[in-house]
Amino acid sequence: MSAGPHAGGRRLSRDASGLRHLRWAREVLATLEAHVEHNPALADADREALRGEARALGAAVQALSGAVKPYRDFLERTRVRYRGRVRVAEHLVRGSDAGGADEAARARLEEALAELAAMEEAQRRPLKEALSAEIDRLREAMARMDARLAERLSAELVESLYPPLTDDASRVADDGDPDDDAAASPR
């Protein structure tokens, strides 16, 4: 098991995807809730403080989820159609180059690339900006949560909230599920 995200300042990389931030935050939320339900060493006031933090983090997780879903849907539905069209146009250009330059194929490629660029600007950029803002809000909320909890609970308990990360801190390490893209051993 990893030393945790706070040992040496180790946290999920800000460059990690929204989906990976969502997984990370859900892991922390689940641990907060597990402390409330299963940690007999907690005083009632500490248990109540953790409940409050869980409610606040739960709201931040929901907000992030609300930004992740439209972005993922866009990537997996809309963007792939445009990328597929570009690949077909590239294929047609390569085929025409073998038998002589085909200006129509080159024009189709230019058109497909232009439509991809326009779609990226019109659709992807606003979704990505909204997602990035929610990631920042989540990270700020978690930092504030850590500071509040550190005032009343041990550093070890605060550190216990965070799951181990992969060596590059890009995702939660999860050797228990080989189908999970986070299946990797922590450092």
Side-chain angles (χ1 to χ4, degrees), residues 80-99:
V80 296
R81 286 195 330 266
Y82 283 86
R83 288 169 44 97
R85 183 168 174 222
V86 167
R87 284 191 297 277
V88 168
E90 289 170 340
H91 168 75
L92 293 173
V93 166
R94 282 190 305 274
S96 68
D97 285 346

Side-chain angles (χ1 to χ4, degrees), residues 13-33:
S13 169
R14 174 57 184 88
D15 295 332
S17 71
L19 192 58
R20 289 177 176 176
H21 271 86
L22 188 57
R23 166 72 185 276
W24 180 58
R26 285 177 172 157
E27 292 270 352
V28 173
L29 179 58
T31 308
L32 268 171
E33 292 168 342

Side-chain angles (χ1 to χ4, degrees), residues 39-94:
N39 185 343
L42 290 174
D44 288 342
D46 294 337
R47 191 175 311 284
E48 199 52 44
L50 288 176
R51 274 192 191 99
E53 295 297 345
R55 283 189 297 275
L57 183 56
V61 166
Q62 282 303 109
L64 179 58
S65 181
V68 166
K69 182 167 179 11
Y71 185 69
R72 295 302 308 173
D73 286 349
F74 164 79
L75 291 178
E76 295 169 7
R77 291 187 175 92
T78 303
R79 188 168 183 254
V80 296
R81 286 195 330 266
Y82 283 86
R83 288 169 44 97
R85 183 168 174 222
V86 167
R87 284 191 297 277
V88 168
E90 289 170 340
H91 168 75
L92 293 173
V93 166
R94 282 190 305 274

Side-chain angles (χ1 to χ4, degrees), residues 1-5 7 10 159 162-165 173 186-187:
M1 191 110 164
S2 166
R10 190 159 154 84
E159 198 170 306
Y162 291 86
L165 303 175
R187 174 160 253 212

